[in-house]
Amino acid sequence: MRMIRYYLPAMGWIILILFLCTMPGSSLPKASLFDKLHVDKMVHFFLFGGTVILLAYGYFRQRGRISGAMLLLLALVASLYGLAIEFIQKYYTANRSFEIMDVVADTLGAFTGVLIFRFIGKRFLKK
């Protein structure tokens, strides 16, 4: 039970993503400027990059180190979570659909999260 504390920020973030991504389409703001700027894709990118960073942070704080293979596994899991959310949107959320470009943005964000943690985050962390 003690180890769960390391992952509380990541768990909160993951729940927030689920909440935001399963809101009915009618609850989302309609703004053509945002559509042209692809703000939706940038949001997906940052949400899933943040997921990997927070999971990696928890793992690092728990174990004192994190391997490149574990970082890649976290990115893969986050990407699969993004894919699962797209299916949830398609089949269970009103006025939402599956968008392959959201999956691409999720995946790119997750793997960018690996790079950020690998080259910046660990340098500032102490066990």
Side-chain angles (χ1 to χ4, degrees), residues 4-121:
I4 200 168
R5 70 180 179 177
Y6 298 115
Y7 299 99
L8 286 175
M11 291 176 1
W13 189 254
I14 289 166
I15 291 167
L16 175 67
I17 290 172
L18 183 63
F19 173 76
L20 292 174
C21 291
T22 58
M23 291 175 57
S26 58
S27 299
L28 301 175
K30 304 284 186 225
S32 62
L33 176 62
F34 290 136
D35 292 336
K36 291 178 184 173
L37 295 175
H38 302 287
V39 170
D40 173 53
K41 304 312 177 240
M42 289 186 272
V43 168
H44 279 265
F45 182 88
F46 287 110
L47 286 174
F48 286 86
T51 299
V52 170
I53 291 168
L54 290 172
L55 286 170
Y57 175 76
Y59 188 91
F60 184 84
R61 295 298 294 173
Q62 179 190 8
R63 307 247 175 155
R65 63 178 197 79
I66 188 167
S67 68
M70 179 53 72
L71 284 170
L72 292 177
L73 179 62
L74 292 176
L76 180 62
V77 168
S79 299
L80 290 173
Y81 180 58
L83 179 64
I85 285 177
E86 289 302 313
F87 281 109
I88 291 169
Q89 287 178 339
K90 179 177 181 175
Y91 293 112
Y92 300 107
T93 306
N95 303 318
R96 299 291 292 266
S97 62
F98 184 99
E99 290 188 37
I100 193 67
M101 291 311 292
D102 285 351
V103 176
V104 170
D106 299 343
T107 302
L108 289 174
F111 282 92
T112 301
V114 167
L115 294 175
I116 290 169
F117 189 84
R118 185 82 174 158
F119 296 114
I120 297 172

